[in-house]
């Protein structure tokens, strides 16, 4: 009975989130933060599919998530006509990376994008057109988007391959930090102070959460505490950075919709934390 | 019965369950103003034409009952190149074919369209004629105006498509998955001549385009504004911090102003503005704190010198990162540095050395040899030059607040804070003379506008006088450029 408990918890959370959707659909009532819950639902869909069916199917749902966020980023940046082949290359990097996660080929997963795709994309841009002006900026913009929205997000998949609960631990910490960030962001405080404030308010909760979950994540208590202290730093740094990028992309906070910043905005906290947490766990615990 | 059969036709099934989900999931489509078209039975859709994808996107916004009875207007000779694609397009969209480049037939080119409209069918028209260069809109052709003038009871729906010119531009075959925006304007009924109708439709779609493109990311680098540096000089207790704060606030009405005082502040529209922090600023604050705590002039020297140099470096960073319109300096680093030497090396301090020192500190005194007496008198200068720290900047305007040292001392007493080492009547008197001399040198040697203002007046008077002077200076500056 108790052996099944972790598995059941995932399903229950998933069902609750689905139920929220059903309520929204039937009663036609607007739930607050509906687009945020949307992405939470997708993460839990990935974990429940991995628990019930197989990880191989679940990781391809992550591919769709990567594709959506990358597509939104490319829709928002200013691209030249000559960059089209580079963008196709960036999209094609998703199935390759997901395949390496699926077959658990760590070495290839870790080099596929930072080595091969990074070298390939400037070449693809260069054969795309005769106009050479602006290629450096194009390369930078496309490579950066691919790195952040494909590679960093892909680490969640690999983390879930190690243990579902490690990935869920990360997601819960992200949720905690996002809630606290949301309330502090309303006030006008100098940047550094607000970052410190966010950290000191959220870190007790994240430490508590990681220690509470340490039975299921199978992370020793010492490492749980240090992860709980480390994760909010990464989340808050990532959150702040992506907010600045959002500003440059011309995302209007008031009328955000998918395609106009909603995807990036709802997932911004995960991009910085996922790779670092993954490598921490891999270095110390594997 | 026949109507029911039409609803369940293969074409509608393909549109609803294959094409629309595909467009939504693969490309992504945002539709604004769907309610403008969903209630209409008859309509003429007018849209800008950038790519082959346009027709597909426009069929996504149609109400279900309109799918079978809406016909895009397309050029026959372009699509009839391949038989399969011609058959597919004919089946899916059933266009009205227009044959271009056959003037000898001499028949009315709008006849087919008119026939469809007579049958209570609807049409989609791209008045630009052909797909233009990506992202550019051509002038509308007169056909749409003629049509609208004929059928004044049919509403015309202007639609702006944004995105297909990046998804599938002219000249490329592979569509990229990128989001598309479809903006539907409210339907219009037109009176008046056909040229007016064409112009007004073009105007509506142009306005939609401007509203969408306003917030888009553009790659062009920001053109840097040249900021005007205003230095406020004066001995401690002369009210220069108050004056500079007031100036920064008042000038911020015309643009962003930055106040470099004990703390770095930005103002916009009379309100303080939050900016990204600078590391140099944090270090400077720390060192400035050490200088204030110093017990004697000897210990005061090094932290103060460092603080002034950092303050000068800060000027560079502000110009580089924030490009503000005005920078108001509470004590210019270069001029303060020069004037302060009088407290340490009074015997050598005169107009000549002052002028030389400024030349060396602004890296313009290359003609001075190592054996020059100035380096013996002020060894700090040679070390600064050796360390390449002599790239200080001159301000554009200098405002000197002239206050007698006795009054300044009283004001400092009133603050009730712990006094700094140099805040005695004798030393402040010396400093005041030194500042006067520096201002003279600046005015004569460098032609920098300098004004000396009597600081014994009330704050409002001083601020008003300074502002008047600055306004004159700014006007001259703008005229000169």
């Amino acid at each position: 009975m108790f052996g099944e408990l972790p598995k059941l918890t995932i399903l229950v959370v998933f069902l609750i989130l689905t139920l929220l959707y059903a309520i929204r659909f039937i009663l036609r009532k607007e739930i607050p933060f509906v687009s945020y819950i949307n992405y939470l639902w997708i993460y839990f869909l990935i974990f429940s599919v991995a628990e019930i069916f197989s990880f191989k199917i679940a990781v391809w749902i992550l591919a769709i998530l990567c594709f959506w966020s990358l597509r939104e980023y490319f829709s928002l940046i200013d691209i030249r006509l000559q960059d089209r082949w580079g963008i196709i290359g960036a999209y094609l990097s998703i199935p390759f990376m997901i395949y390496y996660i699926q077959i658990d080929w760590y070495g290839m997963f870790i080099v596929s994008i930072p080595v091969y795709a990074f070298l390939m994309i400037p070449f693809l841009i260069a054969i795309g057109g005769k106009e050479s002006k602006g290629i450096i900026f194009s390369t930078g913009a496309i490579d950066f988007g691919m790195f952040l929205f494909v590679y960093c997000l892909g680490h969640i998949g690999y983390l879930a391959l190690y243990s579902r609960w490690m990935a869920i631990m990360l997601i819960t910490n992200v949720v905690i930090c996002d809630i606290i960030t949301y309330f502090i962001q309303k006030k006008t405080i100098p940047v550094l102070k607000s970052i410190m404030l966010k950290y000191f308010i959220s870190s007790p909760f994240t430490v508590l959460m990681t220690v509470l979950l340490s039975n299921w994540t199978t992370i020793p208590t010492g490492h749980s505490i240090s992860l709980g202290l480390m994760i909010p730093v990464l989340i808050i740094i990532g959150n702040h950075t992506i907010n600045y990028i959002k500003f440059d992309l011309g995302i209007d906070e008031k009328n955000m919709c998918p395609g106009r910043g909603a995807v990036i905005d709802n997932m911004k906290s995960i991009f910085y934390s996922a790779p670092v947490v993954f490598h921490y766990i891999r270095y110390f615990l594997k | 019965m026949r109507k029911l059969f039409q609803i369940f036709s293969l074409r509608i099934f393909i549109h609803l369950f294959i094409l629309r989900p595909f467009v939504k999931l693969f490309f992504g489509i945002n539709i604004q103003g769907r309610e403008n078209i969903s209630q209409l039975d008859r309509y003429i859709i007018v849209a800008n034409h950038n790519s082959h994808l346009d027709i597909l996107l426009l069929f996504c916004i149609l109400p279900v009952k309109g799918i079978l009875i809406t016909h895009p207007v397309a050029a026959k000779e372009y699509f009839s190149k391949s038989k399969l694609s011609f058959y597919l397009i004919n089946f899916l969209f059933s266009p009205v074919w227009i044959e271009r480049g056959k003037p000898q037939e001499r028949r009315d080119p709008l006849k087919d369209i008119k026939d469809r409209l007579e049958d209570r069918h609807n049409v989609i028209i791209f008045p630009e004629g052909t797909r233009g260069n990506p992202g550019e809109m051509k002038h509308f052709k007169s056909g749409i105006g003629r049509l609208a003038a004929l059928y004044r009871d049919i509403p015309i729906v202007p639609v702006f498509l944004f995105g297909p010119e990046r998804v599938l531009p002219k000249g490329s075959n592979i569509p990229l998955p990128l989001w598309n925006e479809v903006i539907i304007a409210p339907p219009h009924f037109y009176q008046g001549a056909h040229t007016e109708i064409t112009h007004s439709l073009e105007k509506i779609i142009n306005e939609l385009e401007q509203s969408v493109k306003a917030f888009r990311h553009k790659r062009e680098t920001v053109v840097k504004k040249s900021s005007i540096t205003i230095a406020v000089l004066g001995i401690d207790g002369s009210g220069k911090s108050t004056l500079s704060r007031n100036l920064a606030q008042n000038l911020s009405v015309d643009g962003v102003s930055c106040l470099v005082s004990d703390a770095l502040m930005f103002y916009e529209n009379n309100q303080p503005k939050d900016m990204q922090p600078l590391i140099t600023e944090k270090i400077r604050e720390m060192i400035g704190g050490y200088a204030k705590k110093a017990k004697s002039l000897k210990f005061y020297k090094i932290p103060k010198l460092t603080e002034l140099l950092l303050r000068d470096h800060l000027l560079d960073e502000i110009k580089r990162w924030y490009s503000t319109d005005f920078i108001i300096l509470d004590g210019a680093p270069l001029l303060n540095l020069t004037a302060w030497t009088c407290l340490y090396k009074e015997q050598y301090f005169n107009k000549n050395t002052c002028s030389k020192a400024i030349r060396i500190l602004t890296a313009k005194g290359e003609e001075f040899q190592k054996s020059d007496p100035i380096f013996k008198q002020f060894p700090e200068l040679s070390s600064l030059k050796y360390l390449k720290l002599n790239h200080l900047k001159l301000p554009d305007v200098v405002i000197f607040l002239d206050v007698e040292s006795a009054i300044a001392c009283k004001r400092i007493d009133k603050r009730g804070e712990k006094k700094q080492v140099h805040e005695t009547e004798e030393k402040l008197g010396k400093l005041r003379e030194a500042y006067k001399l520096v201002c003279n040198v600046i005015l004569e040697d460098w032609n920098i506008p300098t004004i000396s203002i009597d600081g014994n007046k009330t704050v409002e008077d001083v601020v008003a006088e300074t502002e008047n002077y600055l306004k004159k200076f700014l006007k001259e500056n703008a005229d000169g450029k």
Side-chain angles (χ1 to χ4, degrees):
Chain A
M1 176 66 206
F2 285 105
E4 294 285 296
L5 198 59
K7 197 173 170 181
L8 276 175
T9 317
I10 297 177
L11 294 181
V12 166
V13 173
F14 176 66
L15 281 179
I16 289 171
L17 290 172
T18 319
L19 214 66
L20 267 177
Y21 268 104
I23 289 169
R24 179 169 167 258
F25 190 72
I26 293 164
L27 298 182
R28 297 190 177 278
K29 251 187 186 174
E30 276 305 309
I31 328 170
F33 312 114
V34 71
S35 67
Y36 189 79
I37 294 169
N38 223 328
Y39 294 94
L40 217 57
W41 183 79
I42 294 176
Y43 290 131
F44 275 93
L45 178 73
I46 294 169
F47 301 136
S48 357
V49 167
E51 286 293 337
I52 298 170
F53 302 107
S54 83
F55 183 77
K56 284 178 184 173
I57 304 167
V59 81
W60 288 97
I61 303 173
L62 188 73
I64 295 173
L65 205 60
C66 289
F67 172 67
W68 277 349
S69 50
L70 190 65
R71 184 177 69 178
E72 185 177 83
Y73 172 75
F74 283 151
S75 310
L76 288 170
I77 59 168
D78 185 21
I79 49 170
R80 308 177 307 155
L81 262 179
Q82 293 85 354
D83 305 337
R84 298 177 63 80
W85 282 103
I87 287 174
I88 290 171
Y91 280 128
L92 282 181
S93 71
I94 298 173
F96 280 99
M97 186 197 70
I98 295 291
Y99 178 67
Y100 299 137
I101 296 175
Q102 188 198 318
I103 59 170
D104 195 10
W105 187 2
Y106 173 77
M108 197 60 196
F109 161 73
I110 218 73
V111 300
S112 65
I113 284 175
V115 177
Y116 296 113
F118 266 45
L119 293 174
M120 201 63 196
I121 278 173
F123 172 66
L124 287 175
I125 296 173
I127 59 167
K130 289 177 184 108
E131 170 103 26
S132 60
K133 198 180 174 196
I135 185 171
I136 292 174
F137 279 84
S138 298
T139 312
I142 293 170
D143 276 354
F144 173 73
M146 187 177 59
F147 178 78
L148 211 59
F149 301 116
V150 180
Y151 187 62
C152 291
L153 210 56
H155 282 79
I156 286 210
Y158 221 104
L159 198 61
L161 179 69
Y162 283 172
S163 141
R164 317 273 181 271
W165 274 96
M166 284 176 189
I168 291 173
M169 182 265 294
L170 179 61
I171 302 280
T172 29
N173 283 351
V174 163
V175 173
I176 290 170
C177 288
D178 277 352
I179 291 169
I180 287 159
T181 307
Y182 176 79
F183 284 112
I184 292 176
Q185 213 120 59
K186 283 182 176 174
K187 302 188 176 82
T188 47
I189 320 171
V191 181
L192 280 180
K193 270 185 195 165
S194 86
I195 286 178
M196 297 295 269
L197 196 65
K198 279 173 208 166
Y199 177 70
F200 284 115
I201 294 176
S202 55
S203 54
F205 293 103
T206 50
V207 170
L208 192 72
M209 187 53 86
T210 32
V211 172
L212 278 180
L213 290 178
S214 62
N215 262 347
W216 292 350
T217 51
T218 62
I219 300 172
T221 319
H223 281 298
S224 282
I225 292 170
S226 82
L227 270 173
L229 290 171
M230 188 184 78
I231 290 174
V233 180
L234 300 164
I235 291 173
I236 290 163
I237 291 173
N239 204 316
H240 183 75
T241 316
I242 308 275
N243 261 339
Y244 262 77
I245 293 164
K246 240 172 65 186
F247 191 69
D248 187 32
L249 286 177
I251 294 173
D252 189 3
E253 297 245 335
K254 273 163 202 153
N255 41 22
M256 247 183 322
C257 52
R260 273 201 192 170
V263 186
I264 294 174
D265 186 57
N266 285 311
M267 306 209 301
K268 63 189 169 192
S269 304
I270 216 125
F271 300 127
Y272 269 58
S273 43
V276 183
V277 170
F278 170 76
H279 285 294
Y280 182 97
I281 286 169
R282 191 185 147 75
Y283 185 80
F284 287 110
L285 305 170
K286 277 283 152 180
Chain B
M1 192 63 208
R2 203 177 161 198
K3 252 188 180 172
L4 205 74
F5 178 72
Q6 271 184 350
I7 292 287
F8 292 105
S9 77
L10 183 62
R11 247 181 89 189
I12 288 190
F13 180 83
I14 291 176
H15 270 289
L16 285 187
F17 298 103
I18 296 175
L19 287 183
R20 283 190 188 184
F22 175 72
V23 167
K24 203 154 197 176
L25 293 176
F26 188 68
F27 295 119
I29 180 169
N30 269 337
I31 302 168
Q32 287 179 33
R34 191 168 215 160
E35 68 280 357
N36 287 332
I37 201 169
S38 57
Q39 301 301 326
L40 299 176
D41 282 332
R42 304 188 72 189
Y43 44 81
I44 298 173
I45 292 178
V46 176
N48 59 329
H49 198 23
N50 270 318
S51 114
H52 288 317
L53 208 69
D54 289 352
I55 294 176
L56 194 59
L57 292 179
L58 286 174
F59 265 79
C60 288
I61 65 168
L62 293 181
V64 179
K65 61 193 172 193
I67 290 177
L68 285 181
I69 52 165
T70 305
H71 311 277
V73 178
K76 190 167 186 179
E77 87 276 357
Y78 190 88
F79 287 100
S80 55
K81 278 173 194 162
S82 126
K83 252 188 180 169
L84 180 71
S85 77
F86 182 73
Y87 176 76
L88 260 178
I89 287 166
N90 229 341
F91 173 68
L92 285 175
F93 305 113
S94 67
V96 185
W97 295 114
I98 295 276
E99 296 193 32
R100 273 188 298 208
K102 283 186 183 171
Q104 64 268 39
E105 281 185 20
R106 283 221 164 259
R107 61 190 272 256
D108 184 5
L110 295 177
K111 190 179 172 298
D112 285 341
I113 303 172
K114 280 177 193 164
D115 286 348
R116 302 293 163 103
L117 286 174
E118 295 289 343
D119 294 347
R120 296 189 69 79
H121 281 207
N122 309 312
V123 290
I124 296 173
I125 293 179
F126 301 109
E128 283 172 274
T130 53
R131 296 171 297 158
N133 288 332
E136 282 172 26
M137 225 166 71
K138 287 191 203 161
H139 280 297
F140 282 10
K141 288 180 179 165
S142 65
I144 175 65
R146 284 172 206 278
L147 215 60
L150 268 177
Y151 300 91
R152 292 188 194 275
D153 55 327
I154 301 180
I156 295 176
V157 186
V159 176
F160 180 68
L161 299 163
F162 186 64
E165 81 276 6
R166 310 208 298 179
V167 176
L168 189 65
K170 197 178 184 176
S172 52
N173 302 319
I174 304 168
L176 284 181
L178 295 171
W179 278 91
N180 301 290
E181 311 261 342
V182 182
I183 300 163
I184 308 165
H188 284 262
F189 294 94
Y190 281 104
Q191 306 299 325
H194 70 84
T195 46
E196 279 175 35
I197 297 173
T198 316
H199 277 296
S200 121
L201 277 171
E202 197 176 336
K203 211 181 132 201
I204 290 171
I205 292 187
N206 262 324
E207 273 167 13
L208 291 177
E209 182 182 12
Q210 297 308 324
S211 71
V212 177
K213 282 190 177 169
F215 68 91
R216 281 283 151 156
H217 175 238
K218 269 267 168 250
R219 191 179 283 185
E220 287 141 34
T221 45
V222 184
V223 180
K224 273 191 185 157
K225 292 176 278 185
S226 59
S227 38
I228 293 166
T229 324
I230 301 160
V232 182
L233 292 186
I235 51 177
D236 298 54
S238 61
K240 64 177 167 136
S241 344
T242 322
L243 174 65
S244 45
R245 195 170 56 241
N246 274 316
L247 276 183
Q249 268 180 4
N250 293 350
L251 282 174
S252 67
V253 178
D254 300 332
V256 182
S257 67
C258 165
L259 172 64
V260 186
S261 181
D262 287 340
L264 187 66
M265 297 277 281
F266 293 93
Y267 291 96
E268 193 175 25
N269 287 329
N270 267 329
Q271 295 296 324
K273 197 182 174 199
D274 197 22
M275 294 284 228
Q276 212 173 348
L278 286 171
I279 289 172
T280 320
E281 165 63 14
K282 297 284 159 204
I283 299 168
R284 186 184 74 102
E285 262 176 29
M286 205 173 73
I287 290 169
Y290 285 129
K292 279 199 173 163
K293 279 181 213 152
K295 295 226 169 56
S296 73
L297 271 183
K298 204 176 152 196
F299 290 111
Y300 188 75
K301 190 166 122 188
I302 297 296
K304 187 68 187 172
L305 184 65
T306 325
E307 202 250 309
L308 285 175
L309 288 175
L310 278 173
R311 193 180 278 209
D312 193 75
H313 185 65
L314 199 64
L315 262 183
D316 260 353
E317 294 208 343
I318 290 165
K319 277 182 188 165
R320 184 172 175 197
W321 298 116
Y322 302 127
S323 66
T324 55
D325 295 291
F326 306 103
I327 300 174
I328 290 110
L329 288 170
D330 185 356
L334 170 67
L335 306 181
N336 274 17
L337 200 65
T338 323
W340 267 78
T341 42
C342 91
L343 283 191
Y344 294 95
K345 299 270 172 68
E346 209 186 338
Q347 65 274 31
Y348 300 125
F349 190 77
N350 56 41
K351 211 169 177 177
N352 191 19
T353 51
C354 201
S355 164
K356 267 188 187 174
I358 290 177
R359 281 191 79 80
I360 291 166
L361 283 173
T362 48
K364 291 205 172 82
E366 295 301 323
E367 71 269 20
F368 298 120
Q369 296 298 319
K370 254 192 176 172
S371 55
D372 202 90
I374 185 126
F375 292 118
K376 273 221 169 119
Q377 289 159 357
F378 302 103
E380 293 88 352
L381 275 182
S382 67
S383 54
L384 279 181
K385 196 180 172 190
Y386 178 71
L387 289 170
K388 299 246 186 292
L389 286 171
N390 58 344
H391 290 268
L392 299 172
K393 274 155 293 293
L394 281 164
D396 295 324
V397 203
V398 179
I399 293 157
F400 176 51
L401 265 179
D402 199 6
V403 177
E404 294 213 357
S405 48
I407 297 171
C409 256
K410 271 182 202 163
R411 283 187 192 169
I412 293 168
D413 287 337
K414 259 190 196 169
R415 285 184 204 158
E417 284 168 18
K418 205 182 166 195
K419 276 192 179 182
Q420 295 179 44
V421 267
H422 62 281
E423 287 173 344
T424 59
E425 201 174 325
E426 179 220 345
K427 278 172 183 163
L428 286 181
K430 274 187 208 165
L431 258 182
R432 182 185 167 205
E433 293 306 314
Y435 275 129
K436 270 187 187 170
L437 194 117
V438 169
C439 282
N440 262 333
V441 170
I442 285 282
L443 187 63
E444 283 167 18
D445 286 16
W446 300 87
N447 256 335
I448 288 168
T450 310
I451 186 175
S452 170
I453 287 172
D454 187 6
N456 293 331
K457 291 186 234 165
T458 56
V459 181
E460 288 82 18
D461 285 350
V462 171
V463 172
E465 197 179 332
T466 327
E467 273 195 344
N468 276 338
Y469 177 75
L470 278 180
K471 261 178 204 161
K472 221 170 80 190
F473 166 76
L474 289 175
K475 206 179 168 197
E476 275 170 19
N477 204 9
D479 289 346
K481 274 171 189 171

